[in-house]
Amino acid sequence: MAQKPLRLLACGDVEGKFDVLFNRVRAIQKKSGNFDLLLCVGNFFGSTPDAEWEEYKTGIKKVPIQTYVLGANNQETVEYFQDADGCELAENITYLGRKGIFTGSSGLQIVYLSGTESLNEPVPGYSFSPKDVSSLRTMLCSTSQFKGVDILLTSPWPKYVGNFGNSSGEVDSKKCGSALISSLATGLKPRYHFAALEKTYYERLPYRNHIVLQENAQHATRFIALANVGNPEKKKYLYAFSIVPMKLMDAAELVKQPPDVTENPYRKSGKEASVGKQIPAPEEEAACQFFFDLNEKQGRKRSSTGRDSKSSPLPKQPRKPPQPPGPCWFCLASPEVEKHLVVNIGTHCYLALAKGGLSDDHVLILPIGHYQSVVELSAEVVEEVEKYKATLRRFFKSRGKRCVLFERNYKSHHLQLQVIPVPLSCCTTDDIKDAFITQAQEQQIELLEIPEHSDIKQIAQPGAAYFYVELDTGEKLFHRIKKNFPLQFGREVLASEAILNIPDKSDWRQCQISKEEEETLARCFRKDFEPFDFTLDD
């Protein structure tokens, strides 16, 4: 029997507006049913004494939900939090403490850190130090079985959280926030991280906690900053969500990657996030915005040419994808990627709708790492490409279509394996094959038929320019490009009267639609493809 999710609420700075908050919670629970917990980050109390609080403290007014709060962020409110280890402030309101781990009866694990960052000694009663962060990390991360925590509660934002993500609005995450919290979030790998203090709402795109192609898949983290209660701009200060404790989840379900997942925002800024020797800082990577620029932090050293040192006794390491020469439109962690077009993500590859596609379900199979062509793919990436090809054939067959695949390794920097569905009613596989051969002859292109189970790597060397087509029978047509080649050749053949009969769509630039239309098509494809999605079984 599936575990029933917990229903939680998270709240930003209350600042003494208890009636506004709890009346809002009552209204939500009346409409949507009861929630299990309310978690408050930021300033729970206002800077001035308020008779409103006395009514809750003395029990005159009741709190409608079990509420857990963080401690003071300034000297004015320290007096409300007498016990550093946490205590009950009023009926149904509990102060968690300065730092620690709260584990509910369900197994839900919440790590909390009260206050703001301080690098000075002695540390004020409303702040945390590098030692506090180090002790939390050591407490949890020292065991080999540690996978992460369910929720992290802090008042300040983590510094750099906006890296690789969607805009954080008026808040510059490179200048504000805490580098210590960035380091803590890197180590603890929370599934949800809540913060406040900036008086704005920001839900960052989820980010991954593993290095693609180098580490096993891990769960993603969602960072959510909440605004202050009752703010006049009506910015979101209350966030409702459901969660099954990590300990009770199936491993495959836990590590399933959201379609819009990004690179970890803290990896690039390892030096900046490290303050003092007490904290193991996030791994520093080279000054490159692409996550596949993998440094060899473990294993044997490599020379500047990238070749293995002959003196090393360790076994041969898997070949790493090379660094791109500049910004790449298809590397998944690149800011250039139009992530709303991504419809499925595997371990080594992902699927995306083609921009300006020949049809609404024209997709691309792309490697997550930076590979220029099929010929250069490592064995594990080839294996996943083949799984995607087979899955897409089954998917399109169920919809009365056959698919044609082609790759043009010419004037391109990142492998794009085009997958175009063709309705069975349009033509036969032989018709498609004949159309490619006929148009190739007309343009003096030598298109060779190669054996069904042959490997392109046996024919083309890395770096060689080529074009190849793969039919739904497995038959392949191959052309070695020696000088010039028409960039739209594959599209032109498929768009011709002999196949799809949409010659006006042979140029993708003539087929572009609005972002909103693209988002709608992507949502539809994800929904339709889900029953065939092999990544859910891994």
Side-chain angles (χ1 to χ4, degrees):
M1 184 176 175
Q3 175 68 28
K4 184 179 179 182
L6 296 168
R7 303 179 73 226
L8 308 184
L9 291 169
C11 179
D13 304 273
V14 180
E15 296 181 333
K17 295 180 180 177
F18 308 112
D19 286 348
V20 175
L21 170 62
F22 295 128
N23 286 340
R24 177 65 179 147
V25 170
R26 285 189 186 92
I28 290 172
Q29 294 200 128
K30 184 177 180 180
K31 181 179 179 181
S32 305
N34 289 339
F35 283 75
D36 297 291
L37 296 174
L38 169 62
L39 307 172
C40 295
V41 294
N43 295 313
F44 188 67
F45 293 99
S47 298
T48 56
D50 194 339
E52 209 175 283
W53 170 244
E54 289 300 317
E55 292 180 305
Y56 287 97
K57 186 177 180 181
T58 57
I60 296 174
K61 290 184 177 179
K62 302 295 183 182
V63 177
I65 185 173
Q66 182 61 54
T67 303
Y68 291 92
V69 308
L70 294 181
N73 297 295
N74 50 59
Q75 186 61 51
E76 291 86 346
T77 57
V78 169
E79 61 180 306
Y80 292 102
F81 306 98
Q82 297 297 319
D83 190 342
D85 295 324
C87 59
E88 185 176 83
L89 301 178
E91 185 180 352
N92 260 5
I93 300 180
T94 301
Y95 163 47
L96 286 166
R98 290 195 61 178
K99 68 176 188 296
I101 307 156
F102 171 85
T103 304
S105 57
S106 63
L108 185 76
Q109 200 170 48
I110 302 172
V111 175
Y112 54 90
L113 180 65
S114 293
T116 56
E117 177 180 312
S118 175
L119 304 179
N120 301 319
E121 294 289 349
V123 178
Y126 54 87
S127 296
F128 57 84
S129 68
K131 290 180 181 178
D132 291 323
V133 174
S134 180
S135 66
L136 268 178
R137 286 184 59 148
T138 303
M139 192 186 312
L140 284 158
C141 306
S142 55
T143 64
S144 58
Q145 291 80 26
F146 177 75
K147 294 181 179 179
V149 299
D150 290 304
I151 299 171
L152 173 61
L153 303 178
T154 64
S155 287
W157 289 29
K159 203 169 187 178
Y160 315 112
V161 70
N163 285 355
F164 307 121
N166 47 316
S167 171
S168 52
E170 64 268 28
V171 178
D172 185 348
S173 66
K174 294 181 180 179
K175 294 181 179 178
C176 72
S178 164
L180 291 178
I181 290 177
S182 303
S183 175
L184 183 64
T186 302
L188 298 189
K189 303 173 186 176
R191 294 165 65 199
Y192 284 87
H193 180 181
F194 293 97
L197 297 185
E198 300 297 336
K199 300 188 182 300
T200 193
Y201 170 69
Y202 172 52
E203 183 172 1
R204 190 201 185 280
L205 291 172
Y207 64 83
R208 61 175 66 87
N209 284 295
H210 62 281
I211 302 175
V212 178
L213 303 179
Q214 192 171 358
E215 298 174 332
N216 292 331
Q218 299 176 41
H219 60 272
T221 293
R222 299 177 185 274
F223 172 76
I224 296 129
L226 294 161
N228 48 313
V229 170
N231 65 86
E233 298 86 3
K234 299 190 181 301
K235 294 177 181 178
K236 190 170 183 175
Y237 64 82
L238 205 55
Y239 184 92
F241 66 109
S242 297
I243 186 171
V244 174
M246 180 184 292
K247 293 180 179 179
L248 304 179
M249 288 188 69
D250 175 73
E253 184 65 25
L254 177 64
V255 303
K256 184 179 177 182
Q257 302 293 294
D260 53 354
V261 71
T262 77
E263 168 61 346
N264 190 307
Y266 314 122
R267 291 197 186 277
K268 183 180 177 183
S269 49
K271 281 185 177 178
E272 297 163 282
S274 173
V275 184
K277 295 182 179 179
Q278 301 95 324
I279 300 175
E283 234 179 31
E284 183 187 359
E285 296 189 357
C288 174
Q289 62 188 355
F290 305 102
F291 66 89
F292 45 79
D293 181 22
L294 304 175
N295 285 342
E296 289 262 317
K297 295 296 182 184
Q298 298 175 343
R300 60 177 161 175
K301 295 181 179 179
R302 300 174 72 90
S303 70
S304 58
T305 62
R307 296 184 178 179
D308 298 325
S309 169
K310 293 182 180 179
S311 61
S312 173
L314 295 179
K316 185 178 180 181
Q317 300 294 312
R319 180 165 60 94
K320 302 296 189 298
Q323 177 182 332
C328 178
W329 288 96
F330 300 102
C331 288
L332 193 54
S334 168
E336 322 295 339
V337 171
E338 296 194 54
K339 292 186 172 62
H340 66 283
L341 294 172
V342 176
V343 292
N344 191 265
I345 301 177
T347 305
H348 307 292
C349 305
Y350 71 98
L351 286 184
L353 286 184
K355 194 168 185 67
L358 281 168
S359 61
D360 291 348
D361 45 7
H362 175 176
V363 294
L364 309 177
I365 302 174
L366 304 119
I368 291 173
H370 189 76
Y371 294 90
Q372 182 169 325
S373 68
V374 164
V375 174
E376 297 180 5
L377 296 179
S378 60
E380 63 268 25
V381 184
V382 169
E383 182 179 357
E384 192 163 274
V385 166
E386 292 301 321
K387 288 179 75 173
Y388 267 121
K389 284 159 64 171
T391 303
L392 286 167
R393 286 191 181 105
R394 290 196 301 273
F395 169 67
F396 287 123
K397 185 177 180 181
S398 74
R399 303 173 75 82
K401 302 176 182 180
R402 58 170 55 88
C403 59
V404 179
L405 298 90
F406 71 83
E407 179 201 6
R408 186 199 77 233
N409 182 33
Y410 173 72
K411 293 191 176 181
S412 62
H413 300 290
H414 190 115
L415 166 61
Q416 304 159 53
L417 192 55
Q418 308 273 345
V419 185
I420 298 92
V422 177
L424 295 174
S425 58
C426 279
C427 54
T428 66
T429 301
D430 284 342
D431 291 334
I432 297 172
K433 180 178 174 182
D434 290 341
F436 272 98
I437 292 172
T438 299
Q439 291 205 35
Q441 290 173 344
E442 289 174 357
Q443 299 187 49
Q444 297 183 326
I445 295 171
E446 186 181 23
L447 203 55
L448 303 174
E449 187 172 349
I450 58 178
E452 178 181 335
H453 299 292
S454 63
D455 189 343
I456 295 295
K457 291 185 177 184
Q458 298 171 333
I459 303 168
Q461 296 298 316
Y466 62 85
F467 172 87
Y468 94 97
V469 184
E470 185 171 343
L471 306 175
D472 60 330
T473 56
E475 295 172 274
K476 298 184 183 74
L477 303 173
F478 177 86
H479 170 66
R480 193 185 309 276
I481 300 173
K482 298 176 182 178
K483 192 174 182 182
N484 296 320
F485 185 79
L487 298 182
Q488 305 295 338
F489 178 73
R491 285 184 65 110
E492 288 171 356
V493 175
L494 290 168
S496 68
E497 293 181 1
I499 304 179
L500 292 173
N501 195 22
I502 46 174
D504 56 322
K505 289 191 173 184
S506 59
D507 188 336
W508 70 272
R509 288 165 293 193
Q510 304 301 318
C511 307
Q512 293 188 75
I513 56 178
S514 69
K515 183 177 180 181
E516 290 73 24
E517 291 172 298
E518 289 174 338
E519 289 172 338
T520 299
L521 292 179
R523 280 195 299 270
C524 292
F525 189 95
R526 291 185 199 110
K527 181 180 178 182
D528 294 339
F529 187 71
E530 188 172 0
F532 298 82
D533 186 1
F534 68 84
T535 66
L536 301 179
D537 302 323
D538 289 343

